[in-house]
Amino acid sequence: MYKYLIISIIILFPFFSKAQNISIQGRLKDSIDYVNLYNSTVMLLQPKDNFLYKFSRTDKYGTFQIKNIKEGRFILLITCSNYADFIDTISIKGDILDIGTIYMIRKEHLLEDVIVKAIREHAVQLIGDTTVFKADSFKVRPNATVEELLKELPGIQVDKYGRISAQGEKVQKVLVDGEEFFGNDPILVTRNLTANMVDKVQLYDRSSDRSKFTGIEDDNKIKTINLELKSDKRNSAFGKVSSGIATDKYYASSATYNLFSDKKKFAIYSLAGNDGLLGVNEDQSSAEYNGKGIPSVISSGIHFDNKWNDDRNYLNSDYKFLSLNIKGMDNQIIQNNLPNDVIITNSNKNFQNQTIKNEINSKFSQTFSDKSLMNISINSSITHQNNNDKLLQKSYQSGNVLLNDIQTILSSSANNKSFNGGLSWQNKITNGITYTLYLNQNYSSGYSNGRLYSKQNFYLTVDSSSLINQLKNGNNNNNNTVWSNTFTIPLNSSQSSHLTINHTLNINYSKIAKNSYNDTLNLLLDTTNSGNYNLKQFEQFGSIFYTYSKNKLFFNAGSNLGYSKYNLLDNFHSLNSLNRTFTIIEPQMKLRYSFSSQHRITLTYTGNNVQPNTNQIQPISNNDDPLNIYIGNPNLKPTYNNTLNFIYMNFKISNRRTILINTNYTFQVNPIVLATSTDNAGINTFKYINILSRNLNMFNSYLIYSRNFEKINIDINSTIGYSNSNYMNYTNEQSNLTSSSSYNVAFGINKLFWKIIKLRINNSVKYNTFKASIQSSMNNKYWTNTLFPEVESNIKSFIFHMDAVFNIQQKTILFPEFNTFIWNAWIGSQLLKNKNLLIKIQLNDILNQNSGIARSANNNLISQENYSTISRYLMLSLNWNFNKSNNK
Amino acid sequence: MRKLILIIYFILFSLLNGIAQNLPALLNGRINYQKRVNLYALLDDLKGLSNDEKLKLNKIKESTGQFFIQDFTLSFQKDKYYFKRNEAGIQNALTAISNLTIFTDLSTKIFYSEKSIGNDNFFISDTIIPIIWRITDETRNIQGVECRRANGLLFDSIYVVAFFASNIPISGGPDIISGLPGMVLEAAIPQFHTTWLATRISVEELKDEREFNSSFKNSKYVNYKSFLDSIKNMSKNWGFLKELFFQEIRI
């Protein structure tokens, strides 16, 4: 136990050396009978590396003296048989340091509790907006990955796919030592690094690059986890090779190799699989796997970063390749509530989507002197996509009267290239004034080819059938330039308050062309379903922000003011250009008060204009889905969003109690909503309109409480949440007011039995209500309950693991009761001396109940989907971890 | 039995030193060490050998066996200690040193060593070779004495592990290993596949100090650096195993 004392005290201090004539002296006595302690060893260690600097022994009178010491900080380590080690950090200056009498505690009198409390000192801390977890304070099994460590941290959850959520939000980035490591896929970090490499886990909202350089907060914040590595683990070579083969042609294999040194990191990975757990977590919407179909993935990447020239230069680069092929079936039932009728649509889709992506990200930064810093970043990607969809669809009115049936075959292939280059330059001018230049250039282009075949039969109107057989191609180019200048000016000498002044230009040019050809041989252009647009956007705004930060208070307020010009030229139909100008008024306020480093409140307000996008103003007409047609509204006005957010956080160290309250209220003035009209044949026409009479609002709030009961060694966590949103839309000219609410109570426990069985149970109960003013007889109210038990036991070298998801959904007017019980288990044996080799037999979805069902309700549409997905399989796999520390 | 004597000694000692009851320290005595070298592992580390040399090595392996084991005795008294090989002349095809004695005077921080390499005797005297030590919190019981682990760096590059006894307050140890706040009872240099382990600790008064010194009176000493230089000169004729011999001679 006194080992922990050493660990807790070894904090890195700079080590200075100066005068040599200093000496330290003191005396040792027993803490109970005050007897002098003779011949005890007194050592001075250098704090940065624990190296023995000098030592001495006590004489008959228990006194000691060490002479000729250099100035600086040392760890004083006193050892004496049958006594607990005495450890303290001392700072030596002047001539003689007399540390007086030290009373040594006999080992048998040492209270374990005292030591345990000492190590928990900084288990959780709030520093600024960052929550810092000390990794060693949370116990995990040997060889555990960072993912397993994250599961232990209060307020953080990790699902089966490795997706992390913290404080109720999705974590999108995981950094290593503050720097990117394979971009946006957190799994490449969390399943690659081991928990014992991590010193601290920091959780915060990362601002966008622009906001980071200009100091002006914007909306583009993402939840980020940063892993600070232990300094002695920075020098190592490690990795993992795993391979598994399963029934029903499932397989998964991956290999990673990492070589870390003090200033350099090199990593390489490669993976292939179709079990839905591997490499499908790509944060690009074009290639995300959402559980539908069977995904086959091949991916690999290489990463390198290096600091040199006294850390003045830094280079970080990675390259990634991804090939993702998703195949499956999707069956959907949609209920459309009309003012005096209900239309039910039944559709059946076969899909096959293929994505191939190559991506390079690179960042270089250079510090010129203490005064200026330059960053250059380059991101580039090439994506190729192939989609093939086959759709069969039937709609019924008033229960069983057939309205229409449609058969569609849609195939397309697209190539997209994108390039993004950014430059920022920060320079300190005199009197604490800082100037920042930020330039960003983005260029993307793409072209697509495809074919649409659609056969439609309408039964309630005269023109009873139609056939579309078209070739399609498309082209788009987008060019975006951002130029921003910022000055930060301190208002007083103590730098507790400052002013930030900024001017930003944002220029965007786009060309969009889409052509449909009717006769596949002679290529006759279908003018109604083709389009060619030029879009110019010019945005200019200035901002001024005031920041005050002293002691416990942080206050920041200001506003962006400017305008945005929009020019849309339709080259194809009218040759008339559409000009619009929008004003930008975006006030923001943030107030944070930290009672202590474990206790704080934050209040923020943001107001911003949301401008209508091109698809809302003038979409290119599209006949891909003949039952759903979108038309534009050139008179749309921007929506104004007001968001208020309140966060309260309180951690207590001794029992790890966490209280977290997060409340969010948004109201939209002038909201843009969807107006739908459904004709007799069952064709929906959509148009975006403003609602002037009414504001829409959304409210959500939750309270998280968790703590540890030390005596019985249980961690508990609980969440109470409420959310409500009021929405409005128009259906056949009639307004439809919908209101949905959900009440949520969740409770979980986490306990370790006899040091070998780890049990984690979480249960969440939700009550959902859905009200719509149209067809109020179809209003929905139902309970859902989700139970996640997880057991893991580690006896000697055997591991047994079991987890399950038990889902109960109450019967509703529309849907029958719906229960699933997905049960997974694996057993494994750890072989070799360091337990580095794991042989695993895994049974996924033992009861074969993963049927792939999703239900949703929005506006006046309620739908249930039934799709093909990964179900039961038995997998045999082999995992080998290797680790070689290169420390001297 | 030996442990019992040690325990009795510690108890008696603590009774005699009435003022300070806690720490019975062993100031005079004798420690027997066994040094083991894993020759096969050493040979496996050799790189870039020709086929001919590999064949030769295989023959040598047969003649030497896997471990080369030597016994040493370390006698210590207050601030002086004497480290000596028990039987002179034991040697095989893979070892260079045929005999060794080291006398170390901690009060002046100077060691006097006599190394026999083949038929040549070398007399070396220099200040104690420094080792940078990092103290850890791992402990181990060796021959009934509690020892703490320290990891060290020898010649700034060679990793050394040592377990030292705080209860034997002499900064000594086997061969070149020293500099810790207590006698080293177990040590290892993984790179050289070499370990030392105390096999017996006995409490006894040693011979007179003058006699202790006498065997080192007449020799002409060279310092450690010039000793290494002359070894480097000699080693030119040692063939492909010279690195191996040089390693052994350095420590």
Side-chain angles (χ1 to χ4, degrees):
Chain A
M1 58 211 144
Y2 50 90
K3 287 174 192 171
Y4 294 126
L5 259 181
I6 300 190
I7 298 163
S8 65
I9 282 171
I10 299 168
I11 304 158
L12 303 179
F13 289 109
F15 188 64
F16 304 107
S17 69
K18 256 190 195 169
Q20 286 274 341
N21 301 321
I22 312 165
S23 66
I24 173 172
Q25 61 187 45
R27 190 170 195 187
L28 300 189
K29 282 189 174 184
D30 184 291
S31 59
I32 293 179
D33 52 14
Y34 303 124
V35 172
N36 297 327
L37 299 180
Y38 175 37
N39 241 325
S40 303
T41 316
V42 180
M43 293 179 255
L44 287 180
L45 312 180
Q46 295 180 178
K48 64 170 176 185
D49 45 19
N50 262 10
F51 280 158
L52 178 64
Y53 175 61
K54 286 206 165 167
F55 63 86
S56 171
R57 285 179 175 269
T58 52
D59 62 13
K60 278 194 260 189
Y61 309 101
T63 60
F64 68 88
Q65 189 173 31
I66 306 176
K67 289 177 184 167
N68 293 333
I69 306 170
K70 44 185 180 177
E71 211 166 70
R73 288 191 89 123
F74 293 96
I75 295 170
L76 177 70
L77 168 64
I78 302 176
T79 66
C80 185
S81 318
N82 303 327
Y83 288 83
D85 289 354
F86 175 89
I87 302 162
D88 198 3
T89 324
I90 54 169
S91 159
I92 298 179
K93 256 190 236 166
D95 297 334
I96 294 180
L97 176 70
D98 191 343
I99 54 173
T101 308
I102 293 168
Y103 296 95
M104 301 289 283
I105 303 169
R106 281 185 170 264
K107 275 181 192 167
E108 60 260 36
H109 295 300
L110 203 64
L111 292 171
E112 198 165 323
D113 294 356
V114 177
I115 304 304
V116 169
K117 295 253 157 68
I119 86 148
R120 286 227 181 121
E121 189 65 28
H122 302 296
V124 184
Q125 253 189 311
L126 301 170
I127 299 170
D129 277 335
T130 307
T131 313
V132 182
F133 303 94
K134 185 89 183 143
D136 283 340
S137 310
F138 302 90
K139 281 245 165 71
V140 287
R141 70 179 168 90
N143 279 334
T145 57
V146 168
E147 184 177 321
E148 286 164 72
L149 170 70
L150 294 180
K151 282 184 185 175
E152 299 294 320
L153 306 183
I156 296 184
Q157 277 102 38
V158 184
D159 74 3
K160 161 174 138 173
Y161 301 100
R163 290 188 284 240
I164 310 160
S165 56
Q167 294 161 2
E169 281 173 62
K170 188 183 169 195
V171 173
Q172 296 184 31
K173 252 185 206 301
V174 177
L175 307 176
V176 178
D177 282 336
E179 297 294 345
E180 303 248 349
F181 194 75
F182 282 128
N184 294 329
D185 194 349
I187 288 188
L188 291 176
V189 182
T190 56
R191 293 201 178 152
N192 188 358
L193 306 190
T194 52
N196 66 356
M197 298 178 72
V198 179
D199 182 28
K200 284 175 196 150
V201 177
Q202 297 168 338
L203 175 70
Y204 55 92
D205 291 320
R206 191 186 203 216
S207 3
S208 68
D209 271 355
R210 207 190 95 209
S211 149
K212 219 163 37 184
F213 290 115
T214 58
I216 293 172
E217 310 221 354
D218 58 20
D219 276 352
N220 308 319
K221 286 196 161 178
I222 50 176
K223 270 262 178 286
T224 302
I225 282 178
N226 177 33
L227 306 169
E228 284 285 323
L229 301 186
K230 287 175 187 161
S231 60
D232 60 331
K233 301 279 182 188
R234 282 203 179 110
N235 286 310
S236 55
F238 60 95
K240 202 182 271 183
V241 179
S242 90
S243 182
I245 188 147
T247 54
D248 297 327
K249 291 181 183 166
Y250 289 113
Y251 64 94
S253 58
S254 68
T256 60
Y257 174 77
N258 305 269
L259 183 66
F260 284 17
S261 74
D262 215 12
K263 309 270 178 188
K264 286 184 190 146
K265 286 191 190 80
F266 171 80
I268 187 162
Y269 80 89
S270 184
L271 56 87
N274 64 354
D275 65 343
L277 296 176
L278 255 178
V280 291
N281 214 0
E282 200 59 28
D283 190 51
Q284 203 72 36
S285 55
S286 62
E288 196 167 14
Y289 174 61
N290 49 12
K292 292 181 190 172
I294 311 291
S296 307
V297 65
I298 298 173
S299 173
S300 64
I302 183 163
H303 168 96
F304 176 72
D305 69 67
N306 187 14
K307 278 181 189 159
W308 71 98
N309 195 3
D310 286 337
D311 297 355
R312 285 165 178 276
N313 294 31
Y314 177 73
L315 179 73
N316 183 327
S317 301
D318 52 46
Y319 164 76
K320 276 196 282 187
F321 167 80
L322 172 80
S323 158
L324 178 64
N325 204 336
I326 304 175
K327 242 182 177 174
M329 264 168 54
D330 190 349
N331 198 323
Q332 204 169 11
I333 304 170
I334 302 169
Q335 172 188 313
N336 188 353
N337 292 344
L338 298 175
N340 41 27
D341 206 346
V342 173
I343 294 179
I344 300 207
T345 307
N346 202 330
S347 76
N348 216 332
K349 188 158 109 177
N350 276 303
F351 59 92
Q352 184 176 2
N353 304 325
Q354 192 189 27
T355 307
I356 294 173
K357 192 174 165 193
N358 283 283
E359 193 182 353
I360 292 177
N361 296 304
S362 196
K363 183 188 155 190
F364 172 75
S365 72
Q366 171 149 23
T367 315
F368 287 103
S369 57
D370 292 341
K371 282 186 177 163
S372 64
L373 169 74
M374 184 184 73
N375 274 296
I376 296 172
S377 67
I378 290 168
N379 310 299
S380 180
S381 70
I382 298 176
T383 315
H384 176 78
Q385 274 179 302
N386 269 324
N387 294 325
N388 286 300
D389 289 349
K390 254 188 200 172
L391 184 79
L392 265 171
Q393 188 170 313
K394 279 181 181 172
S395 300
Y396 299 89
Q397 196 178 26
S398 332
N400 54 5
V401 182
L402 186 63
L403 257 184
N404 55 47
D405 68 54
I406 293 174
Q407 186 192 356
T408 306
I409 300 171
L410 184 66
S411 63
S412 69
S413 83
N415 284 296
N416 287 300
K417 278 184 239 173
S418 107
F419 172 84
N420 189 82
L423 170 90
S424 74
W425 186 63
Q426 202 166 42
N427 192 20
K428 282 180 190 154
I429 320 171
T430 47
N431 303 329
I433 298 173
T434 310
Y435 165 74
T436 310
L437 170 74
Y438 175 80
L439 277 171
N440 193 72
Q441 177 68 40
N442 188 301
Y443 175 76
S444 64
S445 75
Y447 66 90
S448 61
N449 280 313
R451 191 171 169 212
L452 171 72
Y453 174 89
S454 179
K455 206 175 166 186
Q456 306 151 24
N457 294 309
F458 298 96
Y459 296 101
L460 289 183
T461 43
V462 190
D463 49 333
S464 64
S465 77
S466 69
L467 176 76
I468 303 173
N469 186 6
Q470 288 187 333
L471 284 180
K472 301 206 166 217
N473 66 41
N475 236 319
N476 65 71
N477 279 297
N478 186 59
N479 211 327
N480 178 259
T481 310
V482 180
W483 181 42
S484 156
N485 293 292
T486 311
F487 287 92
T488 309
I489 305 156
L491 296 178
N492 54 6
S493 54
S494 64
Q495 307 244 340
S496 62
S497 61
H498 63 261
L499 213 58
T500 310
I501 298 167
N502 165 277
H503 172 253
T504 301
L505 268 181
N506 188 344
I507 303 163
N508 200 67
Y509 288 101
S510 305
K511 266 189 166 177
I512 308 155
K514 230 176 171 185
N515 296 315
S516 301
Y517 299 96
N518 254 333
D519 189 327
T520 49
L521 287 174
N522 298 323
L523 297 183
L524 274 175
L525 193 66
D526 171 10
T527 45
T528 44
N529 288 308
S530 299
N532 189 332
Y533 294 104
N534 280 7
L535 175 69
K536 283 185 215 164
Q537 267 173 302
F538 181 88
E539 189 176 280
Q540 174 163 233
F541 60 86
S543 25
I544 181 158
F545 280 83
Y546 169 79
T547 309
Y548 176 83
S549 164
K550 198 173 184 184
N551 304 332
K552 296 176 170 182
L553 185 71
F554 173 90
F555 174 77
N556 172 288
S559 179
N560 296 332
L561 272 175
Y563 65 93
S564 169
K565 271 187 176 170
Y566 179 101
N567 174 289
L568 183 74
L569 184 68
D570 185 345
N571 293 323
F572 204 86
H573 295 110
S574 58
L575 285 170
N576 282 337
S577 69
L578 175 73
N579 283 309
R580 298 289 306 273
T581 305
F582 306 109
T583 13
I584 299 172
I585 306 172
E586 294 176 333
Q588 286 169 31
M589 193 279 294
K590 179 172 186 171
L591 181 70
R592 183 179 72 225
Y593 187 80
S594 309
F595 300 95
S596 73
S597 66
Q598 270 83 24
H599 189 186
R600 71 168 182 226
I601 52 169
T602 313
L603 188 71
T604 50
Y605 163 78
T606 3
N608 61 321
N609 304 81
V610 182
Q611 292 159 20
N613 62 34
T614 319
N615 279 332
Q616 294 169 335
I617 293 180
Q618 192 157 7
I620 292 179
S621 54
N622 190 344
N623 57 351
D624 287 359
D625 186 354
L627 281 189
N628 296 303
I629 293 163
Y630 286 82
I631 57 173
N633 178 1
N635 299 319
L636 273 182
K637 293 188 175 67
T639 301
Y640 201 81
N641 265 357
N642 297 281
T643 307
L644 271 167
N645 179 255
F646 169 80
I647 299 173
Y648 173 84
M649 283 175 142
N650 190 350
F651 297 98
K652 201 169 160 188
I653 297 149
S654 56
N655 55 9
R656 276 198 226 147
R657 192 205 60 197
T658 304
I659 299 175
L660 202 148
I661 299 170
N662 192 336
T663 301
N664 220 8
Y665 177 69
T666 303
F667 68 96
Q668 293 185 325
V669 183
N670 241 351
I672 296 173
V673 301
L674 204 54
T676 318
S677 57
T678 307
D679 66 10
N680 288 337
I683 296 174
N684 301 314
T685 308
F686 298 98
K687 184 183 180 182
Y688 287 94
I689 57 167
N690 285 106
I691 298 179
L692 303 172
S693 57
R694 207 181 174 92
N695 297 341
L696 298 185
N697 57 58
M698 276 152 271
F699 175 83
N700 91 68
S701 178
Y702 59 83
L703 163 78
I704 294 177
Y705 177 88
S706 70
R707 69 162 288 181
N708 170 272
F709 291 94
E710 200 171 332
K711 278 187 189 153
I712 45 173
N713 196 15
I714 283 187
D715 282 300
I716 60 142
N717 65 71
S718 55
T719 309
I720 299 173
Y722 167 72
S723 74
N724 172 278
S725 75
N726 291 311
Y727 193 77
M728 190 174 172
N729 66 350
Y730 281 84
T731 305
N732 287 356
E733 308 286 316
Q734 195 175 335
S735 70
N736 181 22
L737 209 66
T738 58
S739 163
S740 54
S741 314
S742 104
Y743 306 80
N744 176 25
V745 177
F747 182 75
I749 61 166
N750 195 345
K751 176 160 171 64
L752 191 67
F753 291 99
W754 310 292
K755 293 186 178 173
I756 46 167
I757 300 173
K758 190 173 241 180
L759 179 72
R760 205 195 300 268
I761 298 177
N762 284 297
N763 189 61
S764 161
V765 187
K766 232 183 200 175
Y767 181 67
N768 305 281
T769 65
F770 178 79
K771 265 193 265 175
S773 59
I774 293 181
Q775 291 280 348
S776 52
S777 62
M778 291 288 178
N779 287 350
N780 256 327
K781 275 180 192 167
Y782 60 96
W783 290 90
T784 55
N785 187 72
T786 313
L787 176 73
F788 303 94
E790 191 181 340
V791 186
E792 184 166 307
S793 133
N794 198 340
I795 303 164
K796 285 187 180 158
S797 57
F798 280 95
I799 302 178
F800 171 75
H801 179 99
M802 208 167 75
D803 63 77
V805 181
F806 189 32
N807 229 319
I808 304 174
Q809 193 165 319
Q810 199 196 8
K811 180 183 184 303
T812 64
I813 294 167
L814 201 62
F815 303 123
E817 191 178 284
F818 171 56
N819 302 337
T820 54
F821 186 62
I822 294 165
W823 181 27
N824 310 308
W826 59 268
I827 50 170
S829 173
Q830 288 174 310
L831 306 176
L832 301 185
K833 231 196 297 177
N834 313 326
K835 298 186 171 182
N836 281 348
L837 188 68
L838 178 68
I839 295 182
K840 204 163 135 176
I841 298 174
Q842 186 182 354
L843 196 52
N844 195 53
D845 189 11
I846 296 170
L847 304 174
N848 208 10
Q849 292 207 347
N850 190 10
S851 45
I853 289 187
R855 291 168 168 184
S856 71
N858 60 44
N859 299 350
N860 53 330
L861 296 173
I862 301 167
S863 71
Q864 170 167 306
E865 260 183 283
N866 198 338
Y867 49 85
S868 64
T869 189
I870 296 163
S871 48
R872 176 163 61 193
Y873 64 81
L874 177 75
M875 182 180 268
L876 176 72
S877 67
L878 214 61
N879 301 277
W880 179 55
N881 278 297
F882 57 92
N883 192 329
K884 187 172 170 282
S885 180
N886 295 335
N887 278 321
K888 284 171 187 170
Chain B
M1 187 61 198
R2 265 177 246 119
K3 280 183 191 168
L4 190 67
I5 296 173
L6 261 182
I7 292 164
I8 292 170
Y9 172 81
F10 285 149
I11 292 168
L12 282 176
F13 187 93
S14 53
L15 287 177
L16 290 170
N17 291 279
I19 338 162
Q21 64 168 152
N22 66 299
L23 251 191
L26 192 55
L27 294 172
N28 309 302
R30 200 187 291 279
I31 303 166
N32 289 7
Y33 288 96
Q34 191 173 71
K35 179 181 175 185
R36 284 163 74 92
V37 184
N38 185 343
L39 298 172
Y40 285 7
L42 265 182
L43 294 176
D44 290 344
D45 287 351
L46 290 177
K47 300 246 159 65
L49 297 181
S50 68
N51 283 340
D52 194 33
E53 287 164 344
K54 279 179 191 162
L55 281 176
K56 269 189 198 169
L57 268 190
N58 284 338
K59 276 191 183 165
I60 294 174
K61 272 185 178 177
E62 280 169 27
S63 72
T64 58
Q66 184 166 8
F67 291 100
F68 180 53
I69 299 170
Q70 291 159 276
D71 290 312
F72 292 88
T73 305
L74 189 148
S75 324
F76 59 94
Q77 189 170 47
K78 281 173 190 163
D79 52 4
K80 295 179 175 55
Y81 68 94
Y82 191 72
F83 182 74
K84 191 178 181 305
R85 190 151 137 180
N86 290 359
E87 286 170 273
I90 296 182
Q91 211 181 350
N92 66 27
L94 292 173
T95 54
I97 297 179
S98 55
N99 201 8
L100 171 76
T101 50
I102 307 172
F103 172 73
T104 308
D105 185 345
L106 290 169
S107 60
T108 57
K109 297 188 174 164
I110 288 175
F111 73 90
Y112 307 87
S113 138
E114 183 185 335
K115 281 186 180 176
S116 308
I117 295 164
N119 294 324
D120 298 306
N121 289 345
F122 291 88
F123 300 94
I124 311 130
S125 173
D126 210 327
T127 50
I128 295 171
I129 308 288
I131 299 179
I132 303 166
W133 291 109
R134 174 186 280 166
I135 309 293
T136 75
D137 54 352
E138 185 183 336
T139 58
R140 182 179 287 186
N141 197 300
I142 300 163
Q143 300 298 322
V145 183
E146 194 185 64
C147 295
R148 182 183 280 265
R149 177 174 170 164
N151 301 330
L153 264 191
L154 177 63
F155 306 124
D156 286 333
S157 61
I158 300 167
Y159 180 64
V160 190
V161 180
F163 286 86
F164 67 95
S166 295
N167 282 3
I168 308 177
I170 287 114
S171 300
D175 276 303
I176 204 167
I177 297 162
S178 66
L180 283 163
M183 185 64 82
V184 173
L185 296 186
E186 186 180 347
I189 300 184
Q191 193 183 328
F192 298 166
H193 304 285
T194 304
T195 59
W196 293 262
L197 178 66
T199 51
R200 172 180 167 167
I201 303 169
S202 48
V203 183
E204 54 191 89
E205 285 296 317
L206 297 176
K207 287 176 252 172
D208 190 58
E209 204 180 315
R210 250 174 292 161
E211 220 173 315
F212 215 47
N213 252 333
S214 64
S215 57
F216 291 93
K217 278 280 159 68
N218 307 321
S219 317
K220 280 189 175 176
Y221 292 105
V222 295
N223 66 20
Y224 187 71
K225 194 180 171 297
S226 44
F227 163 68
L228 286 186
D229 287 343
S230 48
I231 292 296
K232 272 178 193 159
N233 265 332
M234 278 174 72
S235 69
K236 280 169 193 158
N237 310 319
W238 289 350
F240 69 101
L241 290 175
K242 67 179 175 195
E243 281 301 317
L244 211 74
F245 295 139
F246 191 61
Q247 275 182 11
E248 185 197 351
I249 292 163
R250 264 167 99 193
I251 56 169

